[in-house]
Each structure stands twice: as structure tokens, then as C-alpha cells.
Amino acid sequence: MRILSVSGVLASSSALLSGVVDSASAAFSLVGFPRVSFGRANPSSMTAPACKASSSSSAAVGAGAGEQKPWLFVGLGNPGRMYKGTRHNVGFEMIDAIAEAEGISVSSKQFKAIVGKGLIGDVPVMLAKPQTFMNASGESVGQLVSYFKIPLNQLVVIYDDLDLPFAKLRLLPKGGHGGHNGMRSIIDHLKQTRNFPRLRIGIGRPPEEMGAISFVLRSFSMEEKEELEVTFQRGLHAVRIMVREGFNKSATFVNTPLPLEMLNR
């Protein structure tokens, strides 16, 4: 599925990129931004200390005060071809949609995830797809948050939700795992904190004769894929509002019901 980027975003990103540090022993690239610190990875080690994330984006960490910490958007899913395009992997697909629209390459491997770094407008962001399989997602997310010192209010987890109507979005600032094993793992690895945003994507309920596990590993029909295309566009817009104007404006946009004529399109 393809999502067209807003005109000028790629040009803005290119102008703001200040350099790339290549590591011969790892496929991961660290992009330097003005007044932004992602930290420097140790290519020989893919582990990080226990998560001690700051709960405030105003915390000054790294080279000095005033550095702008990146937003970390994490899409949940299962790696491998057999899971591609399934309901349980809509988090991965939302990350792919953001990456394509903003010209961010999500291809480097670090901390058990495929990661990409770039800008949305002039705001630094990281996009990640944990490769641990869904139920162990926290192993990757906990290390990313800890190593890059991501403020928890700038960690946004994107995942599928059986309890939301199909293709519906819901953005909340905090909450429990709601029975979702990927979220359960993340909360466990963040020392039981639940105070981080999450963008849920509705996949609907399974038919009566089908179990939940079989349903979430089921592929979408062509009609459902077309409907999800609109959902991903809406999710992309929500992410742009979030990093530029703040979480509250983005939540208002996402959680306000669409006009009836839009729903009937």
C-alpha cells in the first residue's frame, strides 16, 4: 500500500540531516541532527541497561541541556513472510506507512528491532518494528527506550485491537494492556509503568465459529485493505499533528468521530 508524502517534507528532511555515521560491523546508521542526540550505539552489543526512561520530555540527557529527544513510534507485529498482511501486524503496516510518507528508511537492525531515523517537519523521530515476535515485544522496546533515553510521553506504541470496530483508531495517553500480549510485555519491561501513549487500530471481532488466535493471524480481504488505506492516512496525519502540535491535539483529531459522509465514502 502506498501513501503519498506531503510536498516538501522530504526536502525539509534532507536540508536538516547533518551527516551519517556508518559502522562496518553493524547495519545501523546514526543520523546527526542539529541539537538532537540519538546517542552512539555499540555495534558489538545489542543489549541495553535496565529501562530508566524519563517521564518528562524536558529532561536534559546526553551532550547537554536543550537537546531535543526524538519521538519513538513502535509498531507491533510478528516478523516473517507468513505473518505479513495479517491483522496482528497492522502495527508494522502503520510504521511502513509513516516511513514511506516521510521518506524514512526502516532497515537498520538494533536492539532486536528494525529501526529507522528521520524527521517529520523539523522534529526528530525513530520508527521501530520489534523482531522478537509479538509476545516478547518488550525486550526490544525496553532497550530502545533505555539506550536512547526516550521520555515515556514520547514513546507511542501502535498495535491491533480486537475490541475496536474494524479500521477505527483510538489514541490514549496511558492505560493497561487490555489482554494484548505485546503490550503486556512492554509494560513488564518498562517496570510496570503504563504511562506512555498508544495508538490502537481496530481489527474487529472474529466470527462466532473462529477463535481469537486464528482471527488475528488471518489476512485482510481486498475490501478491508482498501478501508485500512484510509485508516493509515488518518493515522499518519495524527502522527504529524502529535510531533508538531502536541499529543492533546492529535488525540482530539483521532478520537473525534468522523462526519457521516466520510464514513460512507
Side-chain angles (χ1 to χ4, degrees), residues 87-91 134 158-162 180 201 203 216:
R87 283 166 163 74
H88 221 20
N89 274 35
V90 291
M134 181 68 79
I158 306 170
Y159 62 100
D160 59 297
D161 194 325
L162 282 166
H180 192 285
I201 303 175
I203 60 172
V216 300

Side-chain angles (χ1 to χ4, degrees), residues 221-240:
S221 67
M222 288 305 298
E223 182 179 345
E224 287 174 328
K225 289 179 181 179
E226 291 176 2
E227 192 171 350
L228 278 176
E229 194 79 33
V230 177
T231 299
F232 293 146
Q233 286 280 4
R234 188 169 171 81
L236 169 62
H237 191 46
V239 166
R240 287 170 171 164

Side-chain angles (χ1 to χ4, degrees), residues 77-247:
N78 287 309
R81 291 183 180 180
M82 67 179 294
Y83 299 108
K84 188 174 182 179
T86 62
R87 283 166 163 74
H88 221 20
N89 274 35
V90 291
F92 277 10
E93 293 194 50
M94 185 71 246
I95 291 296
D96 290 341
I98 298 169
E100 182 176 354
E102 300 297 342
I104 299 172
S105 174
V106 182
S107 58
S108 301
K109 295 181 180 179
Q110 192 173 24
F111 301 121
K112 302 180 182 180
I114 299 176
V115 181
K117 299 176 182 179
L119 297 168
I120 295 181
D122 60 355
V123 180
V125 299
M126 296 177 62
L127 307 178
K129 298 191 292 185
Q131 300 297 291
T132 56
F133 287 94
M134 181 68 79
N135 293 359
S137 298
E139 294 179 14
S140 172
V141 176
Q143 292 181 51
L144 287 168
V145 169
S146 178
Y147 186 84
F148 293 105
K149 298 179 172 62
I150 305 295
L152 288 186
N153 61 356
Q154 290 181 208
L155 164 67
V156 183
V157 182
I158 306 170
Y159 62 100
D160 59 297
D161 194 325
L162 282 166
D163 294 325
L164 278 180
F166 179 76
K168 182 178 178 62
L169 294 175
R170 181 66 55 83
L171 178 61
L172 297 174
K174 59 184 179 179
H177 54 70
H180 192 285
N181 288 330
M183 286 295 288
R184 189 195 310 272
S185 175
I186 291 172
I187 291 172
D188 286 345
H189 282 80
L190 294 180
K191 307 302 181 186
Q192 299 302 317
T193 183
R194 303 180 178 191
N195 297 326
F196 58 91
R198 65 281 316 277
L199 177 62
R200 294 152 51 199
I201 303 175
I203 60 172
R205 299 295 303 180
E208 290 185 7
E209 69 278 6
M210 182 179 293
I213 295 178
S214 297
F215 182 70
V216 300
L217 298 179
R218 184 181 181 183
S219 297
F220 295 108
S221 67
M222 288 305 298
E223 182 179 345
E224 287 174 328
K225 289 179 181 179
E226 291 176 2
E227 192 171 350
L228 278 176
E229 194 79 33
V230 177
T231 299
F232 293 146
Q233 286 280 4
R234 188 169 171 81
L236 169 62
H237 191 46
V239 166
R240 287 170 171 164
I241 293 173
M242 195 182 309
V243 301
R244 292 168 174 168
E245 303 179 58
F247 177 87

